[in-house]
Amino acid sequence: TNIICESPLKHLGFASIAALKQYLRYAEAKKLETRFLLQKLGLVQNIQQSDEGRITGEQFQAFLEGLIEIANDPSLGLSSALYVQTHSYSLLGTIAESSKTIGDAIERIPLFERLVGDMGTTQIERSSDAISLTWQCNYTNPEVVPHMIDNVLASWTLYARWLTNSRTRARKMYLQRNAPNADVLAQYQRVFECPVLFGQTRNSIELNNK
C-alpha cells in the first residue's frame, strides 16, 4: 500500500511577470539596486519575459522580502501601487472596458485575478450604492503580507478609476493591522482619499458604486 503524506509546506502558486515588474519600476524610481537580489533568486532571465510570463510564488515572496529590506520604506505597498501599468492586464482591460462604474469594474476582479497570480483571493459584496472589496493574502511572511495587501487594494482602486475615467473616492478602508505613524497614515489618505480604520476584522475597501 502506498501512503501519500501531504507536505506541511504551503505552496504559493505563481506570480505574473507583470506583478514583479510593478515592484521593479518602484525600485528603479527610488534608485534601489535590485540586480543582486534578482541574481540570487534566479530571476534575471525572467524579467526579460513578456508580462504574461510567470515565476513561482516562493520566488516572488523572497523577492519582496529582499526589496522590503533594501527599501526600508513603511509605505512600500502603497508607493509601489502607483507604478501599476494598465496595459499589463490587457485581457482584464478588454473584458472590463464596458464598465460604467467603479463597482462594475471591481466586480470582475475575482474572475480574472489569477491572470496576475495566486497571491490572494478577492471577495466582493455589493449593495445598491456601495461595493466592498476584501482581499485575503495567501503568502506567509508577516513582513510581506501587509505591503501586498496595501499594493493590491491600491492597484485595483487605481486601475478601476482608470477603466471608468473616474475620480470617485472610496468611502472607507479597513485594515486588520495596528495604526501606523502619522506620515504613513497621510500616505493612505492620499492614495485612497478616505478614512482608514485600523484594528478591523478584515482588509477591505468600500467604494461608491457609481
Side-chain angles (χ1 to χ4, degrees):
T1 301
N2 294 325
I3 299 176
I4 300 175
C5 297
E6 294 185 1
S7 171
L9 297 177
K10 181 178 180 180
H11 296 289
L12 302 180
F14 74 90
S16 71
I17 297 299
L20 174 64
K21 287 182 178 178
Q22 180 184 4
Y23 287 96
L24 289 174
R25 286 190 291 272
Y26 158 84
E28 182 178 3
K30 298 294 184 180
K31 302 186 185 305
L32 303 175
E33 179 54 64
T34 59
R35 183 180 306 175
F36 175 77
L37 179 59
L38 293 169
Q39 290 175 339
K40 178 182 177 181
L41 298 174
L43 294 175
V44 174
Q45 296 299 319
N46 295 93
I47 62 175
Q48 307 302 323
Q49 298 177 14
S50 69
D51 287 347
E52 287 72 32
R54 299 178 178 185
I55 62 175
T56 69
E58 286 79 10
Q59 284 177 305
F60 192 42
Q61 178 169 252
F63 171 80
L64 293 176
E65 290 175 18
L67 182 61
I68 290 168
E69 182 177 355
I70 294 169
N72 190 29
D73 177 4
S75 299
L76 187 150
L78 293 174
S79 299
S80 56
L82 302 178
Y83 297 92
V84 64
Q85 291 188 333
T86 53
H87 69 263
S88 297
Y89 307 110
S90 55
L91 179 57
L92 176 59
T94 299
I95 295 170
E97 63 185 0
S98 61
S99 301
K100 296 180 180 179
T101 69
I102 284 184
D104 290 339
I106 286 182
E107 198 164 49
R108 291 166 167 80
I109 288 173
L111 299 176
F112 307 105
E113 65 183 345
R114 285 185 63 84
L115 294 172
V116 184
D118 301 311
M119 289 90 78
T121 54
T122 301
Q123 179 180 352
I124 301 293
E125 295 180 5
R126 191 170 186 175
S127 66
S128 59
D129 64 343
I131 187 165
S132 177
L133 180 154
T134 299
W135 195 70
Q136 179 65 43
C137 185
N138 290 336
Y139 282 18
T140 56
N141 185 297
E143 292 186 357
V144 169
V145 169
H147 290 294
M148 292 195 71
I149 290 169
D150 289 350
N151 177 276
V152 168
L153 293 179
S155 294
W156 284 129
T157 300
L158 296 172
Y159 188 57
R161 286 175 180 170
W162 173 82
L163 281 174
T164 58
N165 192 28
S166 169
R167 287 299 304 172
T168 301
R169 295 182 180 181
R171 290 183 171 191
K172 291 181 181 179
M173 184 175 180
Y174 303 86
L175 292 172
Q176 291 178 309
R177 76 198 72 143
N178 294 330
N181 62 43
D183 290 340
V184 177
L185 182 58
Q187 178 81 336
Y188 280 105
Q189 293 171 337
R190 281 193 294 271
V191 172
F192 293 100
E193 302 178 8
C194 71
V196 182
L197 306 178
F198 295 88
Q200 304 299 303
T201 59
R202 65 191 189 279
N203 297 301
S204 64
I205 185 166
E206 182 181 288
L207 302 112
N208 290 321
N209 185 25
K210 296 179 180 180

